[in-house]
């Protein structure tokens, strides 16, 4: 299938792939907490991280650490921990379906991936990453209506989901709604100030949206 790139060119699509693939390595971290210390440098801010099991408290702590991160390296470490918690699911079946869906997407078997992700959200409608991954797939298929519907489901369950907020911004920008795109990108940055490429998009859109009346 021919790939249609957004108005900003391949850069925006690269952002989306970065948001999605950023989570991939952390699947193992989510399943095996002993892997993290060996693979990543510990950050002092994470020393007080609540024990596994209290996912909500853990996410609250990590989002606070993300905002307070002193530099990009620290922020990326915290971001990886957030993705790890988001990817966790008590359902072994859902986890297996997610792995197979990612493999299908990597192989460009989008129809297969969609069926697998449909099964995930049907099985576990409370699982945020099922909706988020399907929203990404719909975006890559240029099906913005369905992607927006899934993004809404993500943000209802996790309003701080910076990946979904960035995706919302990209879709709004592609649809020509630069004001809503700017709003979404700003919300994403308010949660995660170190998102790649997004600060540049905010700067460009701010000049276009808010600079018109000057």
């Amino acid at each position: 299938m021919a790939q249609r790139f957004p108005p900003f060119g391949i850069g925006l699509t690269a952002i989306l792939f970065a948001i999605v693939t950023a989570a991939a390595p952390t699947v193992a971290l989510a399943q095996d907490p002993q892997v993290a210390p060996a693979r990543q440098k510990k950050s002092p801010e994470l020393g007080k991280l609540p024990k596994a099991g209290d996912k909500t408290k853990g996410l609250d702590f990590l989002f606070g650490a993300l905002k307070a991160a002193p530099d990009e390296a620290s922020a990326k470490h915290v971001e990886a921990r957030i993705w790890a918690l988001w990817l966790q699911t008590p359902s072994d079946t859902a986890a297996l379906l997610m792995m197979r869906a990612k493999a299908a997407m990597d192989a460009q078997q989008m129809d297969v991936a969609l069926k697998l992700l449909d099964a995930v959200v049907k099985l576990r409608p409370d699982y945020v990453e099922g909706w988020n991954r399907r929203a990404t797939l719909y975006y890559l298929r240029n099906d913005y209506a369905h992607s927006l519907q899934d993004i809404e489901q993500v943000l209802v369950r996790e309003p701080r989901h910076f990946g979904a907020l960035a995706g919302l911004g990209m879709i709004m920008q592609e649809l020509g709604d630069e004001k809503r795109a700017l709003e979404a990108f700003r919300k994403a940055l308010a949660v995660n100030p170190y998102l790649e490429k997004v600060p540049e998009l905010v700067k460009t859109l701010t000049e276009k949206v808010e600079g018109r009346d000057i």
Side-chain angles (χ1 to χ4, degrees):
M1 181 177 66
Q3 176 71 52
R4 182 167 63 82
F5 294 115
F8 272 110
I10 195 169
L12 272 179
T13 302
I15 295 171
L16 184 64
F17 276 113
I19 290 169
V20 174
T21 56
T26 61
V27 173
L29 300 184
Q31 296 172 347
D32 184 1
Q34 298 303 316
V35 177
R39 292 176 61 89
Q40 300 188 33
K41 186 173 79 172
K42 283 189 176 181
S43 174
E45 294 87 351
L46 299 183
K48 302 175 184 177
L49 181 63
K51 293 181 180 180
D54 193 342
K55 186 173 182 178
T56 300
K57 182 180 278 190
L59 283 170
D60 289 345
F61 178 90
L62 287 170
F63 276 114
L66 186 59
K67 280 189 176 182
D71 52 50
E72 184 175 358
S74 298
K76 291 302 179 185
H77 178 61
V78 178
E79 181 182 316
R81 298 290 291 272
I82 291 172
W83 278 114
L85 285 181
W86 276 342
L87 280 163
Q88 285 181 348
T89 171
S91 169
D92 291 340
T93 302
L96 179 61
L97 290 169
M98 288 287 285
M99 290 177 61
R100 289 180 175 174
K102 182 184 182 304
M105 289 176 71
D106 290 343
Q108 297 297 309
Q109 297 174 342
M110 298 304 188
D111 290 340
V112 173
L114 181 57
K115 290 179 180 179
L116 291 165
L117 293 172
D118 285 345
V120 172
V121 298
K122 183 177 181 179
L123 176 68
R124 298 293 306 206
D126 58 334
Y127 182 42
V128 173
E129 279 313 296
W131 295 102
N132 184 53
R133 191 62 57 85
R134 195 173 71 172
T136 301
L137 176 56
Y138 279 134
Y139 174 87
L140 294 174
R141 290 165 65 102
N142 299 315
D143 187 346
Y144 300 145
H146 282 106
S147 185
L148 287 171
Q149 289 175 8
D150 280 3
I151 287 174
E152 182 180 4
Q153 293 295 326
V154 174
L155 295 177
V156 164
R157 292 164 174 79
E158 177 50 88
R160 302 168 297 187
H161 200 297
F162 46 82
L165 287 168
L168 175 60
M170 286 187 282
I171 292 175
M172 289 297 101
Q173 200 281 328
E174 291 190 34
L175 293 177
D177 193 337
E178 293 176 336
K179 184 176 180 180
R180 289 185 65 187
L182 178 58
E183 179 183 351
F185 285 137
R186 281 175 170 170
K187 286 181 178 179
L189 279 185
V191 176
N192 185 354
Y194 291 93
L195 279 174
E196 186 178 355
K197 305 287 186 183
V198 177
E200 292 92 334
L201 292 173
V202 168
K203 181 180 178 181
T204 299
L205 287 171
T206 298
E207 293 173 354
K208 295 176 72 173
V209 173
E210 299 180 353
R212 290 170 176 167
D213 296 331
I214 298 176

